[in-house]
């Protein structure tokens, strides 16, 4: 009973009672009673329990229960509520908040789109279809891949052809690679050149002069392969450095003094090496004519190559090395990919008007209406396999998948444009119809029921830059519909990631609001505990805690959040973890305000009569704090928390706006504005950021209105 | 009084030491990989004379990041007390030099908006309190609540859009038109150009901070108007104008001057978001870019500077309160 009385007293804080009884003016009382009476009718039943206690309470006292009195002591909670609902601003704020919560929490549940749905659309747009030009540069295609090829040699072939062979009208040009190997670049036809390597098929190698051994003064040491005759050996044994010894028609010179080489100059050149099966008669013939340009033996003419004192008797052999050509093969089977070695062989066929068996198929060439064709033998029948020309027609992405039909028409168009010197032209070209592949979403050629391509007559805009022609047509592309303006499907349009802005606002609102509540909860728990302890116990505890509060008060919270946000960014922290960190940090940085408030309140409450009474009746500390002090601090705490919610929402959205808070694809209100962060985007896409910004403002304003209304309702001192 | 100030200053210094410890602890607990990556990044910045190795060893020498928190803190504190603030990694010049370059822009912006804010907020607050529950009171209350609720970045963006782009009245970014060069252009044109760049940032600052001041004025004025001496004055038949101007407003000034005194050091603190969004090269702008790019010397100095300003603000608020209100006794 004792406790009950106390509780009663606490709820009716002395201030309020005083204000109700003494300060109400005449008119206010009148107004209050009228409102009161209206409400009374509905309330009597609900309040019966409350008023029952009160009656009991009053019966013990001396005041009689009359109507005027009854009005003044109606449940304090009701009083606050009444004062609150009389405040128009607070009501507006309340409705905004209810709307916002319904919008974010129910809305996101009802609304058909998710926060990370990406919307795509068919957009009719000029699309680069093909790139056509007459190729004037020479590419090379090697017959066999040569890993040791001299890159410099290959790289300069194009330049050699363009700057030497064509201007000077040369048919052949000798070249050499870094290893000294000789090549000749031969013209086969206009636009097709062949590089052949001039190899030597050496039959005999002769030497006029060479080292045959070595000597030392201390005893002649000879190379194993040198087996001198006895007379020569004697002469050599007796000779010393610098001597020249003649023996058997050859002369030997000892180069060096104590140690050196024995150089032999042959009267008749000696055979160093020979090919298998070379007859002695041939050798004799070669030894006789080694100084001539050629040696003829057995009706075959051999060339002589002099390399110092060595003579090579050889037959020149040309090895096809590569084809360098500006021609391309446009195969009738569109999309066929050729290897370099195939192209080299095929162009060789074309260039030499020859026939060749390439990988099991016989290829020939033919000319028809000025076009050069590469033909293929199918059985005995010669079929056109591809067109050889320097017209390079490719899809814009570089793939060689255009049909020969298209290429032919494109050629006509650009020939016309070159002849008439036109730089832009609308051309009708029959092209294969493209449809979207149902599985991959890519555009693929449409096929009829027989598997043949379907053609469309399409208008192409051809633009020319120098020698290059770009064919563009209007295509419906299925693309992410970024920054789509508001429409019936998407009331607020789509954002940079083609996500529905309205859906993101709803989902973002949930996170923003929830973050606000959690941060404020952390602040209040910390602030209430520490502020409560400081205020209640006072003295040194109070001093220490308040200094801690001072310290936290001095920490600049936004800069710290920015630094940590940048650090979280750098270490790639996952979104959820970030949010948790952010909430904890904001809570830790935000509690000192609450602690100060609680401490101040408790300091003043502690001195009041009811606390003295509580102490006198021997209540425990815990009971005094939780039953008597905390409930009295509650009003201020609720006001502070409501106003604080707005502040947290602002901080969170500012951080997300700067890109240091919650990240894509998770949405918060600030992050949505961040998706149009540059000033240009802001001007162009106002429909994205203005509604979100307005919602942030609305939420914060509503919290502030409600907080303000609550403050006025709890503390009627100002309401005079 | 002197004893009171001395006591407060000493207390502030002790608090500052602990604040610095907190700041240092935050910096110390940044992942090393992050710090090193940023150092590497900034060592390749144009104009950077130091190599990555030099930056890291300088950082360890100056901030003792290779030591424990307490040991490192004293290394940092020692350097800080001896005025050894180091070179900014991002700006590649000594930290204090960069501060010196930017602080006056912040100060000008702060002072202009502070003065305009006071000139608007105080009369409106007084007006609202004088005619409580009138239309103007409601208007002031609503406007101030809205002002408090507007996020800076949204206000700035809106102002840019409306006044910068749609109406084209003011410049939306930077400090001066790039075509004008000081010395070549005549100084008045140059000044006007600078002023045009400052209008929107100042307006942003005023809008977001005016609400608080208005409410504060209104609340205090109301309190004063409800006090006994006002009732006495009215009872004596003092004219209403004199009651308001002479009796009420003067007493309202006490808390206002206290707040203003407390706000003065804050004028040097810069406006982080506003300056960044309008590219006004003040403290806020400079430190935002330094913080985002992981410039540790600059950030440490900036955070400590902010803490000092806050403490100074509290100190000045206390002192001005004691000075203005003769009823306050200093013990």
């Amino acid at each position: 009973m004792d406790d009950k009385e106390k509780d009663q007293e606490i709820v009716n804080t002395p201030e309020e009672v005083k204000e109700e009884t003494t300060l109400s003016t005449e008119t206010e009382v009148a107004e209050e009673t009228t409102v009161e009476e209206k409400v009374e009718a509905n309330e009597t039943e609900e309040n019966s329990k409350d008023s029952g206690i009160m009656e009991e309470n009053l019966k013990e006292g001396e005041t009689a229960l009359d109507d005027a009195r009854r009005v003044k002591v109606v449940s304090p909670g009701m009083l606050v509520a009444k004062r609150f609902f009389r405040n128009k601003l607070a009501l507006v704020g309340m409705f905004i908040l209810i709307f916002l919560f319904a919008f974010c929490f129910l809305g996101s549940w009802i609304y058909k789109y998710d926060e990370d749905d990406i919307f795509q659309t068919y957009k009719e747009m000029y699309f680069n279809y093909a790139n056509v030009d007459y190729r004037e540069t020479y590419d090379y295609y090697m017959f066999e891949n040569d890993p040791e090829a001299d890159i410099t040699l290959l790289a300069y072939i194009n330049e050699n052809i363009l700057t030497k062979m064509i201007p000077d009208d040369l048919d052949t040009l000798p070249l050499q690679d870094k290893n000294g190997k000789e090549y000749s670049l031969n013209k086969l036809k206009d636009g097709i050149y062949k590089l052949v390597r001039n190899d030597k098929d050496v039959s005999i190698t002769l030497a006029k002069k060479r080292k045959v051994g070595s000597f030392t003064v201390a005893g002649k040491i000879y190379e194993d392969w040198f087996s001198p005759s006895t007379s020569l050996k004697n002469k050599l044994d007796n000779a010393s450095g610098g001597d020249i010894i003649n023996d058997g028609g050859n002369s030997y010179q000892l180069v060096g003094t104590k140690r050196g080489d024995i150089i032999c100059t042959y009267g008749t050149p000696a055979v160093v090496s020979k090919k298998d099966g070379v007859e002695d008669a041939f050798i004799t013939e070669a030894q006789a004519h080694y100084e001539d340009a050629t040696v003829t033996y057995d009706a075959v003419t051999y060339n002589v190559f002099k390399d110092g004192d060595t003579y090579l008797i050889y037959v020149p052999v040309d090895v096809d090395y590569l084809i360098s050509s500006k021609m391309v093969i446009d195969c009738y089977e569109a999309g066929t990919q050729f290897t370099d070695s195939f192209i080299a062989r095929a162009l060789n066929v074309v260039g030499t008007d020859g026939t060749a068996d390439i990988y099991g198929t016989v290829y020939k060439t033919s000319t028809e209406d000025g076009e050069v064709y590469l033909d293929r033998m199918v059985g005995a029948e010669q079929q056109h396999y591809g067109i050889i020309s320097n017209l390079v027609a490719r899809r814009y992405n570089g793939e060689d998948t255009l049909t020969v039909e298209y290429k032919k028409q494109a050629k006509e168009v650009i020939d016309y444009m070159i002849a008439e010197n036109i730089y832009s032209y609308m051309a009708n070209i029959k092209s294969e119809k493209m449809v979207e592949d149902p599985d991959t979403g890519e555009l693929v050629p449409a096929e009829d029921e027989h598997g043949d391509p379907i053609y469309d007559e399409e208008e192409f805009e051809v633009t020319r830059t120098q020698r290059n022609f770009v064919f563009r047509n209007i295509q419906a592309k299925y693309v992410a519909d970024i920054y789509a303006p508001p429409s019936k499907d998407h009331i607020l349009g789509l954002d940079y990631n083609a996500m529905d802005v309205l859906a993101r606002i709803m989902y973002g609102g949930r996170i923003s609001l929830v973050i606000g509540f959690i941060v404020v909860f952390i602040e209040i728990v910390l602030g209430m505990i520490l502020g409560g302890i400081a205020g209640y116990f006072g003295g040194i505890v109070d001093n220490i805690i308040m200094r801690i509060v001072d310290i936290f008060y001095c920490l600049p919270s936004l800069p710290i959040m920015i630094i940590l946000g940048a650090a979280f960014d750098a270490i790639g922290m996952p979104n959820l973890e970030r949010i948790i960190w952010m909430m904890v940090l904001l809570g830790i940085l935000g509690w000192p305000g609450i602690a100060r408030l609680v401490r101040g309140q408790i300091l003043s409450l502690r001195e009041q009569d009811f606390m003295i009474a509580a102490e006198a009746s021997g209540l425990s500390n815990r009971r005094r704090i939780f039953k008597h002090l905390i409930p009295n601090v509650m009003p201020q705490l609720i006001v502070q928390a409501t106003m604080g919610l707005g502040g947290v929402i602002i901080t969170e959205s500012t951080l997300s706006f700067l890109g240091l808070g919650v990240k894509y694809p998770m949405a918060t209100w600030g992050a949505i504005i961040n998706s149009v962060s540059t000033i240009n985007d802001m001007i162009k896409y106002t429909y994205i950021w203005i509604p979100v910004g307005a919602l942030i403002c609305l939420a914060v304003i509503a919290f502030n209105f409600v907080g303000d209304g609550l403050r006025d309702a709890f503390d009627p001192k100002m309401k005079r | 009084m002197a004893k009171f100030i001395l006591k407060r200053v000493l207390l502030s210094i002790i608090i500052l030491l602990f604040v610095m410890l907190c700041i240092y602890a935050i910096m110390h607990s940044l992942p090393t990989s992050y710090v090193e990556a940023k150092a590497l990044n900034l060592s390749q910045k144009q104009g950077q004379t130091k190599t990555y190795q030099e930056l890291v060893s300088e950082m360890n020498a100056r901030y003792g990041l290779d030591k424990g928190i307490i040991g490192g803190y004293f290394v940092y504190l020692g350097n800080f007390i001896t005025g050894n603030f180091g070179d900014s990694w991002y700006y590649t010049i000594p930290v204090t030099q960069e501060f010196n370059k930017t602080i006056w822009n912040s100060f000008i912006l702060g002072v202009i908006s502070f003065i305009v804010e006071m000139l608007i907020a105080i009369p409106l607050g007084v007006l609202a309190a004088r005619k409580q529950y009138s239309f103007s009171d409601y208007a002031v209350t609503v406007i101030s609540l809205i002002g408090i609720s507007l996020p800076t970045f949204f206000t700035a963006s809106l102002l840019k859009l409306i006044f910068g782009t749609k109406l084209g009245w003011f410049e939306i970014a930077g400090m001066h038109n790039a075509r004008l060069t000081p010395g070549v252009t005549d100084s008045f044109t140059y000044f006007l150009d600078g002023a045009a760049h400052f209008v929107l940032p100042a307006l942003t600052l005023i809008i977001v901070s005016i609400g608080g001041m208005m409410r504060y004025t209104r609340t205090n004025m109301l309190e004063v108007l409800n006090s006994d001496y006002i009732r006495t004055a009215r009872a004596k038949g003092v004219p209403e104008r004199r009651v308001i101007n002479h009796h009420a407003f003067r007493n309202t000034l006490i808390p206002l001057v206290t707040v203003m005194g407390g706000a003065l050091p804050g004028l040097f603190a810069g406006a982080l978001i506003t300056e960044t969004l309008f590219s006004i090269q003040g403290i806020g702008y400079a430190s935002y870019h330094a913080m985002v790019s992981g410039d540790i010397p600059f950030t440490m100095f900036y955070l400590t500077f902010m803490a000092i300003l806050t403490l100074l603000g509290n100190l000045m608020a206390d002192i001005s309160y004691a000075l203005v209100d003769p009823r306050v006794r200093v013990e």
Side-chain angles (χ1 to χ4, degrees), chain B residues 136-153:
Chain B
S136 42
D137 180 30
Y138 272 114
V140 166
T141 310
V142 171
I143 288 172
S144 59
L145 274 177
I146 290 175
I148 293 173
S149 313
L150 279 176
T152 314
F153 68 93

Side-chain angles (χ1 to χ4, degrees), chain A residues 440-550:
Chain A
T440 61
E442 285 171 3
L443 289 177
V444 294
E447 289 175 350
D448 63 12
E449 60 269 28
H450 306 297
D452 293 328
I454 305 171
Y455 290 103
D456 264 349
E457 187 84 2
E458 261 190 89
E459 197 162 56
F460 284 86
E461 185 201 54
V462 188
T463 45
R464 173 182 177 191
T465 50
Q466 299 296 327
R467 288 205 310 266
N468 189 30
F469 295 81
V470 177
F471 284 60
R472 307 164 75 208
N473 66 347
I474 293 175
Q475 289 184 10
K477 295 283 286 178
Y478 195 58
V479 291
D481 196 5
I482 62 167
Y483 290 138
S487 61
K488 217 169 71 190
D489 279 348
H490 308 288
I491 296 166
L492 292 177
L494 302 177
D495 70 0
Y496 175 69
N497 300 304
M499 297 174 178
D500 186 86
V501 174
L502 186 61
R504 282 180 76 74
I505 290 178
M506 288 171 175
Y507 282 88
R510 297 203 315 198
I511 294 187
S512 291
L513 291 172
V514 167
I515 287 180
F517 276 101
I518 294 178
V519 170
V520 167
F521 179 77
I522 296 174
E523 280 177 10
I524 288 201
V525 168
L526 280 176
M528 206 162 68
I529 293 174
L530 287 164
I533 292 173
Y536 187 77
F537 292 104
I540 190 147
V541 179
D542 179 31
N543 224 335
I544 290 173
I545 290 180
M546 288 329 282
R547 293 298 82 78
I548 294 176
V549 165
D550 283 342

Side-chain angles (χ1 to χ4, degrees), chain A residues 283-352:
Chain A
I283 294 174
T284 319
E285 183 69 21
Q287 280 171 335
H289 296 284
Y290 70 94
E291 281 179 316
D292 299 349
T294 55
V295 175
T296 311
Y297 175 76
D298 206 7
V300 181
T301 308
Y302 297 89
N303 290 1
V304 180
F305 176 75
K306 181 174 186 285
D307 180 15
D309 292 313
T310 312
Y311 296 84
L312 303 177
I313 313 298
Y314 70 97
V315 183
V317 181
D318 284 349
V319 177
D320 286 347
Y321 193 60
L322 59 81
I323 293 281
S324 180
S325 174
K326 62 180 184 182
M327 298 298 179
V328 290
I329 305 168
D330 290 324
C331 184
Y332 278 97
E333 292 162 15
T336 311
Q337 303 283 318
F338 297 118
T339 58
D340 271 13
S341 56
F342 177 85
I343 296 173
R345 285 174 171 82
L347 288 177
N348 194 27
V349 167
V350 175
T352 53

